[in-house]
Amino acid sequence: MELKDTSAIVTGAGSGLGLATARRLLAEGCKVAALDRNVSVLRGGEEEYSAIIEADVTSEQGLAEAFAQAVDTCGEIRMVVHCAGVLGNGAVLSPSRGTLPLKRFADVIAINLTGTFNSIRLAAEHMQGLSPLEDGERGVIITTASIAAWEGLSGQAAYAASKGGVAAMTLPLARELAIHGIRVMSIAPGMFQTGLLSNIPDQTLQHLIDDVPFPKRAGKGEEFAELAIAIARNRMLNGETIRLDGALRMRNPNS
């Protein structure tokens, strides 16, 4: 897909991976609709973005209205990069807090998994009606999983379950939407420099970074954005979850 003058939606565009991706797409000449639950962090960028839209990915009507506004402003949306998400750590059994409340688990699933599917279904609904490009391609949807889908740490049951669901639905969605010329891909980052890392104790975080074979550091948002760009450009990338982790295989700090 040629990116220049292509319209894209980025969810979670106010920080972290979403912000880096939105800025990289702008640099590629894309028209970008930046969606976030907290649009105040995007204020000041109105001259860069084609649209800045408040959006809650867990709201069926609210996100549909946000997508409609993006289409009204940007025209045909050929690319959606879904980065909205939360970490949501919490032990199932805690000596001090007792059993993890079911609502806390459900909230993580609602944002990370159901919210991702909400974006996918709305993107697909719009893209199916677009005129086909080369090879019959109409659009590409890129979601954000995590290596925690396979190697979740203690206290990450909800997060790992939500990201595992994102990875698991990538192939069946790609197969289903192939008839419409819509690709579905997922990126599974390892340790990345985002606000989510602030919820991880310093000792645990340093342990994880020390375990990264190469490069021995946390990833940068720009590196996630580069992969999203590569996926958009390469039509043979479809139905796959790509690990972006420097060969990190997470293990519990006490293992």
Side-chain angles (χ1 to χ4, degrees), residues 18-105:
L19 176 60
T21 301
R23 293 198 176 281
R24 178 58 189 273
L25 288 171
L26 288 172
E28 293 289 334
C30 291
K31 293 181 285 186
V32 178
L35 275 58
D36 202 278
R37 187 166 55 180
N38 179 16
V39 294
S40 64
V41 297
L42 289 163
R43 294 306 179 200
E46 289 87 351
E47 293 184 3
E48 295 180 286
Y49 297 112
S50 296
I52 293 175
I53 305 169
E54 183 175 358
D56 179 355
V57 298
T58 67
S59 170
E60 183 172 358
Q61 179 178 349
L63 192 61
E65 291 174 352
F67 268 61
Q69 185 178 342
V71 172
D72 287 343
T73 305
C74 301
E76 297 181 345
I77 303 295
R78 298 278 184 179
M79 182 177 182
V80 171
V81 186
H82 182 88
C83 297
V86 295
L87 187 57
N89 281 346
V92 175
L93 298 175
S94 169
S96 59
R97 295 185 298 275
T99 307
L100 183 74
L102 185 59
K103 184 180 184 302
R104 188 167 178 185
F105 182 92

Side-chain angles (χ1 to χ4, degrees), residues 136-149:
E137 183 180 29
R138 288 185 169 87
V140 59
I141 302 167
I142 302 171
T143 64
T144 306
S146 166
I147 64 171

